[in-house]
Amino acid sequence: MLKIALAQLNVHPGDPRRNVQSMERCISQAKEQHCHIIVFPELSIPGYLIGDIWDQPDYIRECVHFGERIRALSDRITIFFGNVACDETRLNPDGRQRKYNALFVAQNGQFIGPERSPYPYYIKTLMPNYREFSDTRYFTSLLQVSQERHLFPEDLISPITLTFSGGQTLRVGPLICEDSWDDNYPFKPMQYLHDNYPLDVFINISNSPFTLGKTQRRHRLFGKSIGQFNVPALYVNCTGIQNNGKNIYTFDGASGAYGKDGSLHYECPLFHEELAILDFDETSHTFVSPQKQNPQEEEVADICHSLQYGIRSFMENAGLSKVVLGVSGGIDSAVNAALYASILPKENILLVNMPSVYNSSMTKDLAQQLADHIGCYYTVIPVQDSLELTRKQFREAPLLQNGEEKGHLALTSFIEENIQARDRSSRILAAAAAAFGGVFTCNANKAESSVGYATLYGDHAGFLAATADLWKHQVYALARYLNDVVFQREVVPQGSIDIVPSAELSASQDITKGQGDPIVYPYHDYLFRAMVERWQRVTPETILTWYAEGTLEKQIGCSVNVRDVFPTAKAFIDDLERWWRLLSGFAVAKRIQSPPVLSISRRSFGYDLREAQLKPYYTTRYEELKQTLLNQ
Amino acid sequence: MLKIALAQLNVHPGDPRRNVQSMERCISQAKEQHCHIIVFPELSIPGYLIGDIWDQPDYIRECVHFGERIRALSDRITIFFGNVACDETRLNPDGRQRKYNALFVAQNGQFIGPERSPYPYYIKTLMPNYREFSDTRYFTSLLQVSQERHLFPEDLISPITLTFSGGQTLRVGPLICEDSWDDNYPFKPMQYLHDNYPLDVFINISNSPFTLGKTQRRHRLFGKSIGQFNVPALYVNCTGIQNNGKNIYTFDGASGAYGKDGSLHYECPLFHEELAILDFDETSHTFVSPQKQNPQEEEVADICHSLQYGIRSFMENAGLSKVVLGVSGGIDSAVNAALYASILPKENILLVNMPSVYNSSMTKDLAQQLADHIGCYYTVIPVQDSLELTRKQFREAPLLQNGEEKGHLALTSFIEENIQARDRSSRILAAAAAAFGGVFTCNANKAESSVGYATLYGDHAGFLAATADLWKHQVYALARYLNDVVFQREVVPQGSIDIVPSAELSASQDITKGQGDPIVYPYHDYLFRAMVERWQRVTPETILTWYAEGTLEKQIGCSVNVRDVFPTAKAFIDDLERWWRLLSGFAVAKRIQSPPVLSISRRSFGYDLREAQLKPYYTTRYEELKQTLLNQ
């Protein structure tokens, strides 16, 4: 029997000193428990998403040095950990240091590499270069190494064989993260290891962010591979948060042990550190005890847990404890306030209502209600006087050219809408946050972000956009979940859930008359999602094709009938072009300057969905189909 | 003799229709001139920097379709062009379409692939994955193809052989961009082609952005390779601008023909489209005529031309013709105003001075002078009243908690500094720009950006940061160049060049007393440059090592003596840590929300220098060295 400690660690990217301290603590606990093996996540020393810090030789040297310190602790325990390995023998093609994302195994003070490898560590074979990942930017893969040496990868990949003082032996198939998700890759590390060597266990170390639905998907896929190979597996992932500027990812952990039939034997809790100790019978290849699985929860629960964990961790890392939220009485700001209230003491929250003449007493009352429900600080600072001042200043300041007066700048109603929005965030909230000793939030949702239905330096501003990766229907679901499950009382006012969404920025947006946003969420949520989140991204060409075929609702997954929303093809096309123009045009310019987003979806704006500021484009096929439909 | 047309085209990324129209125009001109060959740049149909539009199958299909249209025009001319090629036979590892960055050669209505290749096009071999490039995210390289097919790349790469109606033949070594810069790559396409086949000419199609000093560097390196192989070469690059959100790149073109000794025979103008027609003697492998080279200019001239071209193109593409600039009387806003004035009619420019009580009459006069020199619109809108209003509102608005009054928010002097900065940009400039029918600019420089010495939603805001990739000393050089060479009169007021740089945001920043910025530009410009732009990026560890060795000035290239600026090691270390804390800490948070930068350096913040929001880190070696120095 072998005792294996599975260290689901909170990895702090960019802070190797802190990570190594945590690792040392885990190692000494595992030694006390007489564990034979302890396994840490991928890149557990440097962290994973650290941007171009990978180009700092000082940082790499520091991490390598810390790896040596961990090696020195392997006197009574075998330690699996992820670290960067630096190849001193040559540079990268671009002249930078050559680095590997490596799995190190230390036993009796020595590193033990794969049987046939010339390297004393296992090099990650498959490199994700999609979504938020840019592995090839930083690391050389095993495949590149083999190509350079004029070898085939099969020459380099092989098991790591361990012998223990009790006489047990263990032949481990080493894997790093992506190496197990090899479905479309031409070279399949798991398959190759299984086909060529008898194995006792696969050990996969990962550094894999949470994505909605991913945990279940991974269990299913990983389990399927394992069952097919009939080899048990350990999967060790980290917790914590990491970011690449625009996107902040939570790491759920969900580390676990899989039996050789592919069933999930043990699962660590989500979003919590754990040092789990498992008994493994190396002769029968069976995990014996303990056994545990997390309950499966509905989507909105996963969303809520990820957001709460993400906000809490982000604020902790940045040394922040207080927030200010602008609250309008609408759903987005109410959900954000309730989210922060589920994390922070109520004394650390200040809600600010900033009405103009266009705000109804209905929404002003809802804002006040929200604050009362939370029990936090609340204040009202109107924007009307500031708007008047700006009007007056613009009226009185002459435009001069070479000393001659040449009229004035005239403010239109549309300009005044944006003046109000910017006044709220850039003047009032920013100053209030500084005076309160905290930061102010951006309460955007993903439908608004998609088409830039927000004012830059106005409601688009803030230290963090916690709900900007949620579609409007997910925001509503979260509102209900917060009330029903988290607080078990009405915190988000029912009135905010019931009213029609509106910006209330002009006389034509009178919420008491039901005049709301131009976005028809039950349709546009799903239209924008198809354009943004589909793996093979959709443009108006495909949308119009589906519309013509009558399959649009099914394809994008919306429950309204599009022909009820748009009585004619012309109305449909006008709407499609209106939003495409924004989504692929001006909204991109706004997103370039938007706050970081807590990312939960399979495609989140930022480093995950990368965008250039370009003119909106319509394909030739689109133009032809449009003419056909309009001529019918 | 063969007539070769070299089409240095302005490639519009994301607009294949427009690109193909330009290509058709060039082809018909070349046919009129009886050219045998016409060569277009890399990815001349889709463009290069288009972000994740590469994930839209509709877009890819459109580009492939346009490629067919170009093929159909090859009846009396051989056409070399770059396009995306889509492999329908399999998906990428990540499930997306598999695509190649390809060189197509069309003759008599047929595509002609390399002699030994199974593909009817040449696939880019070397993939840049550094700086702003992410080739592997989008394209499969020839090396990957060969590895999957269990071939070595040598099996796939071979020349393209052409026969012309006059009986001439031409054996071309095909290359795409990076394929010629193979210094550190293990596989070297040029070398391989040369070693294995007799060649008449290399043809390199490129889509390569301008970087300061790059043109000269390329000529030198490319020329060296060619001379060594004794094969002449054509290099065809595009003009125009492309961006990836945060970074806007100009493309200088600088296409040309190199003789077999490596000498530059012909060079297209920088930043201008040209259809150059060259006579090539295919028997002696010699370019006959015409002959032309651009004069070599000093660095500041290159900076100025790139910025002017970038601003003009960016505004044209976005449909913008008018700008508003906040002008303080200082050097940065004055240089920006002069830059825009060198591009736009003076009626399209509005300068706004927005003084508070802290602004001296000296700088207010300089702002006015600047407007007079340009002859543009000018107005003065003070921020004092708005600050007073905010003070009053904050004083009068009680903080409530469950209906009870709990004091007020207090504004400190530091908070008021930032209120002024945000008031200028987010209230006044944003509204003024909208009323003027244009946009407002961000006038930051790279030293400020590095350490976030700017206010978010304040002077950090704007539609474009044209000078944010210039160090302060480059801003000064540009000021002098604009006056001396571009305008040949004083446009940037001499007073703005002479005064000490200052934010003038509080009583302690009194410019009339010489109280300026905390940044000592003659040192910090170079310190920050080492941390930001070095290929192997430097951290405080290396800086302190150089300081201890006495080589710091030489290593970072500054002309002040560091020991004159900081009398003690402690003073030096305090300063180093102050700026490192900001550069790698809060400044990152600000850059996430900053405007796009016109990128000219070898490392520009944004997609070029990618950053995560992390805690500043000091390595163990740094801490040790610091203790040693402090104990001395």
Side-chain angles (χ1 to χ4, degrees):
Chain A
M1 199 72 78
L2 290 171
K3 270 177 119 70
I4 306 182
L6 193 162
Q8 176 167 297
L9 208 70
N10 183 337
V11 171
H12 291 268
D15 197 350
R17 189 174 295 119
R18 181 168 178 178
N19 292 330
V20 165
Q21 279 161 1
S22 308
M23 290 168 73
E24 287 172 344
R25 212 165 34 238
C26 291
I27 291 168
S28 83
Q29 280 172 31
K31 281 180 175 175
E32 278 167 29
Q33 306 267 329
H34 305 290
C35 290
H36 296 83
I37 295 176
I38 183 166
V39 186
F40 291 101
E42 177 187 10
L43 296 174
S44 48
I45 293 178
Y48 189 20
L49 305 181
I50 58 171
D52 289 353
I53 286 182
W54 290 120
D55 294 343
Q56 296 172 351
D58 293 345
Y59 188 80
I60 304 303
R61 197 184 309 116
E62 173 90 347
C63 293
V64 169
H65 160 84
F66 276 127
E68 296 296 321
R69 225 164 89 179
I70 297 296
R71 179 174 58 75
L73 299 175
S74 65
D75 51 330
R76 290 184 291 117
I77 193 165
T78 304
I79 307 168
F80 285 65
F81 68 97
N83 196 10
V84 58
C86 187
D87 196 329
E88 305 289 350
T89 63
R90 57 175 305 170
L91 292 176
N92 264 345
D94 51 33
R96 288 174 300 167
Q97 282 188 306
R98 161 164 295 218
K99 298 174 293 285
Y100 308 111
N101 178 342
L103 164 58
F104 287 85
V105 181
Q107 196 180 46
N108 300 320
Q110 300 292 324
F111 284 134
I112 304 174
E115 295 172 13
R116 289 175 56 185
S117 171
Y119 298 90
Y121 41 78
Y122 169 74
I123 298 172
K124 189 172 180 179
T125 307
L126 305 183
M127 298 261 135
N129 282 305
Y130 48 80
R131 294 199 51 202
E132 70 270 27
F133 304 111
S134 298
D135 271 30
T136 305
R137 182 175 176 88
Y138 303 116
F139 304 114
T140 303
S141 83
L142 194 74
L143 295 178
Q144 285 168 268
V145 172
S146 70
Q147 189 161 49
E148 284 175 19
R149 298 188 161 211
H150 272 226
L151 299 167
F152 293 113
E154 294 84 332
D155 299 323
L156 277 174
I157 192 170
S158 51
I160 296 173
T161 302
L162 301 170
T163 313
F164 298 90
S165 54
Q168 309 97 321
T169 62
L170 194 72
R171 208 167 201 195
V172 178
L175 298 164
I176 301 179
C177 205
E178 188 83 355
D179 293 343
S180 296
W181 322 119
D182 56 11
D183 264 17
N184 290 300
Y185 285 95
F187 182 77
K188 297 175 193 302
M190 283 181 83
Q191 172 98 54
Y192 174 78
L193 281 164
H194 168 265
D195 290 352
N196 291 275
Y197 299 93
L199 294 176
D200 297 313
V201 67
F202 282 115
I203 293 186
N204 181 312
I205 62 167
S206 280
N207 200 314
S208 178
F210 168 80
T211 302
L212 213 48
K214 196 198 68 172
T215 313
Q216 291 76 31
R217 213 158 49 236
R218 178 167 52 69
H219 286 326
R220 200 174 60 240
L221 293 175
F222 200 20
K224 207 180 108 194
S225 303
I226 292 162
Q228 165 196 334
F229 299 137
N230 203 37
V231 176
L234 267 183
Y235 170 83
V236 183
N237 189 22
C238 58
T239 61
I241 61 165
Q242 303 190 38
N243 75 88
N244 42 44
K246 283 287 189 199
N247 301 108
I248 297 162
Y249 292 96
T250 59
F251 287 67
D252 54 343
S255 308
Y258 297 81
K260 57 188 166 187
D261 61 349
S263 64
L264 186 58
H265 177 86
Y266 185 88
E267 189 183 12
C268 291
L270 305 185
F271 302 118
H272 280 93
E273 288 192 290
E274 186 183 54
L275 185 70
I277 297 179
L278 305 176
D279 285 327
F280 180 69
D281 182 341
E282 76 283 2
T283 50
S284 66
H285 297 173
T286 319
F287 286 102
V288 181
S289 65
Q291 195 160 5
K292 183 168 77 79
Q293 277 182 43
N294 299 323
Q296 203 161 327
E297 298 203 84
E298 51 175 348
E299 181 183 278
V300 66
D302 281 343
I303 291 177
C304 188
H305 298 155
S306 172
L307 296 188
Q308 289 176 314
Y309 185 69
I311 294 169
R312 191 188 298 117
S313 306
F314 188 70
M315 291 187 68
E316 263 174 32
N317 291 356
L320 298 168
S321 59
K322 290 181 168 187
V323 288
V324 173
L325 295 101
V327 288
S328 64
I331 185 74
D332 296 311
S333 54
V335 164
N336 270 276
L339 250 181
Y340 283 93
S342 75
I343 297 164
L344 300 175
K346 56 187 188 230
E347 290 73 23
N348 292 14
I349 300 175
L350 166 62
L351 307 190
V352 187
N353 184 239
M354 298 162 286
S356 73
V357 293
Y358 302 117
N359 293 87
S360 62
S361 63
M362 187 206 290
T363 50
K364 285 188 271 189
D365 290 349
L366 286 170
Q368 161 100 56
Q369 254 184 54
L370 174 67
D372 289 345
H373 290 175
I374 294 173
C376 61
Y377 290 108
Y378 181 69
T379 195
V380 179
I381 302 180
V383 296
Q384 201 60 36
D385 288 350
S386 173
L387 177 59
E388 301 294 351
L389 170 66
T390 306
R391 280 179 182 154
K392 175 169 173 288
Q393 287 194 305
F394 274 61
R395 216 164 36 228
E396 290 176 0
L399 284 195
L400 302 168
Q401 191 177 23
N402 298 318
E404 274 178 56
E405 293 206 12
K406 300 273 183 131
H408 295 84
L409 293 170
L411 301 177
T412 65
S413 151
F414 178 71
I415 295 175
E416 292 193 353
E417 288 182 29
N418 286 317
I419 289 178
Q420 294 167 59
R422 284 189 297 268
D423 200 55
R424 287 183 177 128
S425 294
S426 287
R427 186 176 65 95
I428 299 172
L429 290 180
F436 191 59
V439 286
F440 72 99
T441 69
C442 172
N443 306 330
N445 64 60
K446 197 167 187 174
E448 285 174 7
S449 288
S450 295
V451 292
Y453 187 64
T455 302
L456 204 54
Y457 320 131
D459 44 334
H460 217 53
F463 89 110
L464 172 69
T467 57
D469 202 20
L470 268 62
W471 299 104
K472 193 80 173 186
H473 65 271
Q474 292 173 316
V475 172
Y476 280 107
L478 184 56
R480 288 184 291 265
Y481 184 82
L482 284 162
N483 281 358
D484 298 348
V485 180
V486 176
F487 291 102
Q488 304 190 5
R489 63 186 175 86
E490 185 181 343
V491 170
V492 176
Q494 190 58 41
S496 297
I497 298 176
D498 294 337
I499 51 164
V500 53
S502 168
E504 291 194 303
L505 280 165
S506 72
S508 67
Q509 295 169 351
D510 188 337
I511 204 161
T512 59
K513 297 181 189 153
Q515 293 169 337
D517 290 350
I519 304 177
V520 182
Y521 294 102
Y523 164 57
H524 289 121
D525 252 6
Y526 302 89
L527 174 71
F528 302 159
R529 189 177 68 179
M531 291 171 167
V532 169
E533 291 188 3
R534 281 201 170 226
W535 215 204
Q536 304 213 343
R537 292 175 64 211
V538 155
T539 80
E541 176 186 326
T542 300
I543 296 292
L544 206 56
T545 307
W546 288 339
Y547 172 81
E549 289 172 359
T551 62
L552 181 59
E553 294 85 350
K554 196 172 151 227
Q555 289 280 6
I556 66 174
C558 76
S559 53
V560 294
N561 189 322
V562 171
R563 278 170 175 81
D564 292 343
V565 185
F566 307 103
T568 64
K570 178 163 189 318
F572 178 81
I573 288 168
D574 285 349
D575 178 82
L576 180 62
E577 294 192 356
R578 169 188 188 174
W579 297 117
W580 177 251
R581 206 160 43 235
L582 288 167
L583 189 144
S584 61
F586 191 34
V588 178
K590 291 183 179 176
R591 284 192 287 269
I592 292 169
Q593 301 193 42
S594 67
V597 173
L598 253 181
S599 298
I600 58 159
S601 75
R602 297 186 73 172
R603 205 81 191 248
S604 163
F605 289 114
Y607 198 69
D608 181 356
L609 177 56
R610 304 183 194 176
E611 299 181 290
Q613 206 172 339
L614 303 170
K615 279 190 199 142
Y617 186 78
Y618 298 95
T619 64
T620 309
R621 278 205 199 180
Y622 171 81
E623 296 291 0
E624 289 165 2
L625 186 53
K626 173 181 165 183
Q627 283 318 315
T628 311
L629 286 169
L630 292 180
N631 293 341
Q632 267 167 10
Chain B
M1 198 73 77
L2 290 170
K3 271 176 117 70
I4 305 180
L6 194 161
Q8 176 167 299
L9 208 70
N10 183 337
V11 171
H12 291 267
D15 198 350
R17 189 174 295 117
R18 181 167 179 180
N19 292 331
V20 165
Q21 280 162 1
S22 307
M23 289 167 73
E24 286 172 344
R25 212 166 34 241
C26 291
I27 291 168
S28 83
Q29 281 173 30
K31 280 180 175 175
E32 277 168 28
Q33 306 266 328
H34 305 287
C35 290
H36 297 84
I37 295 175
I38 183 167
V39 185
F40 292 101
E42 178 188 10
L43 296 173
S44 49
I45 293 178
Y48 188 21
L49 304 181
I50 58 172
D52 289 355
I53 286 182
W54 289 119
D55 294 343
Q56 297 173 351
D58 293 345
Y59 188 80
I60 304 303
R61 199 184 307 116
E62 173 90 347
C63 293
V64 170
H65 160 84
F66 275 127
E68 296 296 321
R69 225 163 90 180
I70 296 297
R71 181 176 54 74
L73 299 176
S74 65
D75 52 329
R76 290 185 292 118
I77 194 165
T78 303
I79 307 168
F80 284 65
F81 68 98
N83 197 9
V84 57
C86 187
D87 196 329
E88 305 289 351
T89 63
R90 57 175 305 166
L91 293 175
N92 263 346
D94 51 34
R96 289 174 300 167
Q97 283 187 305
R98 162 166 294 219
K99 298 176 292 286
Y100 307 112
N101 178 342
L103 165 58
F104 287 85
V105 181
Q107 196 180 48
N108 301 319
Q110 301 292 325
F111 284 134
I112 304 174
E115 294 172 14
R116 290 174 56 184
S117 170
Y119 298 89
Y121 41 77
Y122 168 74
I123 298 172
K124 189 173 181 179
T125 306
L126 305 182
M127 299 262 135
N129 282 305
Y130 48 81
R131 292 201 51 201
E132 69 270 28
F133 304 110
S134 298
D135 271 30
T136 304
R137 182 175 176 88
Y138 304 115
F139 305 115
T140 302
S141 83
L142 194 75
L143 294 179
Q144 285 168 268
V145 172
S146 70
Q147 187 161 50
E148 285 175 21
R149 299 189 159 211
H150 273 225
L151 299 168
F152 292 114
E154 293 84 331
D155 298 322
L156 278 173
I157 192 170
S158 51
I160 296 173
T161 301
L162 301 169
T163 314
F164 298 89
S165 54
Q168 309 96 321
T169 62
L170 196 70
R171 205 165 203 197
V172 178
L175 298 164
I176 302 179
C177 206
E178 188 83 355
D179 294 343
S180 296
W181 321 119
D182 56 11
D183 264 17
N184 290 300
Y185 286 95
F187 182 75
K188 298 174 192 302
M190 283 182 83
Q191 172 98 53
Y192 174 76
L193 281 163
H194 168 264
D195 290 352
N196 290 275
Y197 299 93
L199 293 175
D200 296 315
V201 66
F202 283 115
I203 293 187
N204 181 312
I205 62 168
S206 279
N207 199 314
S208 179
F210 169 79
T211 302
L212 211 47
K214 196 197 68 171
T215 314
Q216 291 75 28
R217 212 157 49 235
R218 179 169 51 69
H219 287 325
R220 199 175 59 238
L221 292 176
F222 201 19
K224 206 179 109 194
S225 303
I226 292 161
Q228 165 195 336
F229 299 137
N230 205 36
V231 176
L234 267 182
Y235 170 82
V236 182
N237 189 21
C238 57
T239 62
I241 60 164
Q242 303 190 38
N243 75 88
N244 42 42
K246 282 288 189 198
N247 301 108
I248 298 162
Y249 291 96
T250 59
F251 287 67
D252 54 343
S255 309
Y258 297 81
K260 57 188 167 186
D261 61 348
S263 65
L264 185 58
H265 177 85
Y266 185 88
E267 189 183 12
C268 291
L270 304 186
F271 302 118
H272 279 93
E273 286 192 292
E274 185 181 53
L275 185 69
I277 297 179
L278 305 176
D279 286 326
F280 180 69
D281 182 339
E282 76 282 4
T283 50
S284 67
H285 298 172
T286 319
F287 286 102
V288 180
S289 66
Q291 194 160 5
K292 184 167 77 78
Q293 278 182 43
N294 300 322
Q296 203 160 328
E297 298 203 84
E298 51 175 345
E299 181 184 278
V300 66
D302 282 343
I303 292 176
C304 188
H305 298 154
S306 173
L307 296 187
Q308 288 175 314
Y309 185 69
I311 294 169
R312 192 188 298 117
S313 306
F314 188 69
M315 291 187 68
E316 263 174 32
N317 290 356
L320 299 169
S321 58
K322 291 180 167 187
V323 288
V324 173
L325 295 101
V327 288
S328 62
I331 186 74
D332 296 309
S333 53
V335 165
N336 271 275
L339 250 181
Y340 283 91
S342 75
I343 297 165
L344 300 175
K346 58 187 186 226
E347 290 73 23
N348 292 13
I349 300 174
L350 166 62
L351 307 189
V352 188
N353 184 239
M354 298 162 287
S356 72
V357 294
Y358 303 117
N359 292 86
S360 62
S361 63
M362 187 207 289
T363 51
K364 285 188 272 192
D365 289 349
L366 287 169
Q368 161 99 55
Q369 253 184 55
L370 174 67
D372 289 345
H373 290 176
I374 295 174
C376 61
Y377 291 110
Y378 181 68
T379 193
V380 179
I381 303 181
V383 296
Q384 200 62 37
D385 288 349
S386 174
L387 177 60
E388 300 294 349
L389 170 67
T390 306
R391 279 180 183 155
K392 176 170 172 286
Q393 287 194 302
F394 274 61
R395 216 166 37 227
E396 290 176 1
L399 284 196
L400 302 167
Q401 192 177 22
N402 298 317
E404 273 178 57
E405 293 207 13
K406 300 272 183 132
H408 294 84
L409 293 170
L411 300 177
T412 64
S413 151
F414 178 69
I415 295 175
E416 291 192 354
E417 288 182 30
N418 286 316
I419 289 178
Q420 294 167 60
R422 284 189 298 268
D423 200 56
R424 287 185 177 127
S425 294
S426 288
R427 187 176 66 93
I428 300 172
L429 290 179
F436 191 60
V439 285
F440 73 98
T441 69
C442 172
N443 306 331
N445 64 60
K446 196 166 188 175
E448 284 175 8
S449 289
S450 296
V451 291
Y453 187 64
T455 303
L456 203 55
Y457 320 130
D459 45 333
H460 216 53
F463 88 111
L464 173 68
T467 56
D469 202 20
L470 268 63
W471 299 104
K472 194 80 172 186
H473 66 271
Q474 291 172 316
V475 173
Y476 281 106
L478 184 55
R480 288 185 290 265
Y481 184 81
L482 283 162
N483 282 358
D484 297 348
V485 180
V486 177
F487 292 101
Q488 303 190 2
R489 62 185 174 87
E490 185 182 343
V491 171
V492 176
Q494 191 58 41
S496 299
I497 299 176
D498 294 338
I499 51 166
V500 54
S502 168
E504 290 194 303
L505 280 165
S506 71
S508 66
Q509 295 168 351
D510 188 338
I511 203 162
T512 59
K513 297 180 190 156
Q515 293 168 337
D517 291 349
I519 304 177
V520 182
Y521 295 103
Y523 164 56
H524 289 122
D525 252 6
Y526 302 89
L527 174 70
F528 303 160
R529 188 175 70 179
M531 290 171 168
V532 168
E533 290 188 4
R534 281 202 170 225
W535 215 206
Q536 304 213 344
R537 292 174 65 212
V538 155
T539 79
E541 176 186 327
T542 301
I543 296 291
L544 206 55
T545 307
W546 288 339
Y547 173 81
E549 289 170 0
T551 61
L552 181 60
E553 294 85 350
K554 197 174 151 224
Q555 288 281 5
I556 67 175
C558 75
S559 52
V560 293
N561 188 321
V562 172
R563 279 170 174 81
D564 292 343
V565 184
F566 308 103
T568 63
K570 178 160 189 320
F572 178 81
I573 288 170
D574 286 348
D575 179 81
L576 179 62
E577 295 193 356
R578 170 189 187 172
W579 297 117
W580 177 250
R581 206 160 44 234
L582 289 167
L583 189 144
S584 61
F586 191 34
V588 178
K590 292 183 179 177
R591 284 192 288 270
I592 292 170
Q593 300 192 43
S594 68
V597 173
L598 254 181
S599 298
I600 58 159
S601 75
R602 298 187 72 171
R603 205 83 191 248
S604 162
F605 289 113
Y607 198 68
D608 182 356
L609 178 55
R610 305 184 193 175
E611 299 181 290
Q613 207 173 337
L614 302 171
K615 281 189 197 141
Y617 187 77
Y618 298 94
T619 63
T620 308
R621 276 204 201 180
Y622 171 81
E623 296 290 1
E624 289 165 1
L625 186 53
K626 173 181 165 184
Q627 283 318 314
T628 311
L629 286 169
L630 292 180
N631 293 340
Q632 267 167 11

